Amino acid sequence: GQQLNQSPQSMFIQEGEDVSMNCTSSSIFNTWLWYKQEPGEGPVLLIALYKAGELTSNGRLTAQFGITRKDSFLNISASIPSDVGIYFCAGQIGGSWGKLQFGAGTQVVVTP
Amino acid sequence: NAGVTQTPKFQVLKTGQSMTLQCAQDMNHEYMSWYRQDPGMGLRLIHYSVGAGITDQGEVPNGYNVSRSTTEDFPLRLLSAAPSQTSVYFCASSTGGNEQFFGPGTRLTVL
């Protein structure tokens, strides 16, 4: 079953505000990934993290790989309307390629 | 490059019918996988392949078959559709890291 807990489930924010979401796991992960999904489309990779403690940015997005290897967070700064979508975390256990586990997603709604 | 393509985009089946969801990629990726997405549950891995001729089960493989005869194609077969298989299905591919690229999805309804 699903081992990743992603929170919050949804966020309603005003344009310009910062957004923060996180994922926690009962297992240690070697890789954390953050995806964004827009309606009617497949998930698109935003940020990939490979080392405990790693902090990586992609434009207004910043993500960190927790030092315990059991958690990760994603921040979006100065949100804009096109940030609307569902954000998923995903983690990989051990060395087995392809066995990603996904969180249930955080739905972000940005109002002007 | 078209990336990862999936057909059909939408499908309605009756219980007991069989069908094949198609997935193709033109990026010469060795690794391909199938996920299903249900409301509030994220994506769950059905089957995956690390190369032509090699497949393995994921988290929810029951009721689905796969084969990988070429690097480009990774079809997913539903042998006898059930209402519980109503879902959105995504195919993904990768060069070998975990940075998987997803197709646009197939929305399947089983009546």
Side-chain angles (χ1 to χ4, degrees):
Chain A
Q2 193 166 283
Q3 300 177 357
L4 286 187
N5 295 310
Q6 185 172 349
S7 64
Q9 274 190 325
S10 60
M11 305 184 71
F12 293 81
I13 58 172
Q14 285 197 316
E15 186 174 355
E17 288 185 345
D18 296 344
V19 175
S20 184
M21 62 194 79
N22 68 83
C23 278
T24 59
S25 168
S26 57
S27 303
I28 290 176
F29 285 144
N30 288 342
T31 302
W32 280 99
L33 304 169
W34 284 93
Y35 285 87
K36 178 186 178 186
Q37 185 179 28
E38 298 189 12
E41 306 201 357
V44 174
L45 182 67
L46 298 174
I47 292 179
L49 302 161
Y50 295 101
K51 287 172 52 177
E54 181 181 352
L55 184 72
T56 296
S57 294
N58 178 7
R60 293 178 295 105
L61 278 60
T62 301
Q64 184 159 29
F65 194 142
I67 57 173
T68 66
R69 296 167 64 191
K70 291 185 177 183
D71 63 328
S72 177
F73 73 75
L74 175 71
N75 285 344
I76 306 172
S77 62
S79 59
I80 59 178
S82 62
D83 289 333
V84 165
I86 303 177
Y87 293 79
F88 292 97
C89 63
Q92 182 222 15
I93 297 176
S96 300
W97 179 88
K99 292 196 172 182
L100 290 180
Q101 293 188 344
F102 281 79
T106 295
Q107 176 143 26
V108 173
V109 177
V110 180
T111 56
Chain B
N1 285 352
V4 179
T5 58
Q6 292 183 238
T7 56
K9 200 164 178 64
F10 301 94
Q11 182 71 51
V12 178
L13 293 177
K14 294 182 180 178
T15 296
Q17 286 184 315
S18 63
M19 80 158 294
T20 299
L21 308 185
Q22 301 292 344
C23 174
Q25 51 91 9
D26 61 359
M27 299 174 283
N28 203 31
H29 286 173
E30 286 295 317
Y31 301 83
M32 298 185 73
S33 52
W34 276 102
Y35 294 86
R36 59 177 290 172
Q37 184 177 33
D38 301 296
M41 299 192 70
L43 287 87
R44 291 182 292 168
L45 182 65
I46 303 172
H47 286 285
Y48 66 101
S49 168
V50 298
I54 306 169
T55 63
D56 204 349
Q57 295 181 349
E59 182 183 354
V60 287
N62 292 342
Y64 308 95
N65 275 0
V66 292
S67 60
R68 185 95 181 272
S69 56
T70 67
T71 299
E72 294 77 21
D73 300 298
F74 191 41
L76 178 72
R77 296 184 190 85
L78 280 70
L79 306 174
S80 178
S84 61
Q85 293 178 304
T86 293
S87 188
V88 183
Y89 292 85
F90 289 100
C91 178
S93 74
S94 166
T95 56
N98 289 300
E99 300 177 17
Q100 297 186 37
F101 296 90
F102 285 83
T106 293
R107 283 142 189 83
L108 176 68
T109 301
V110 183
L111 303 176

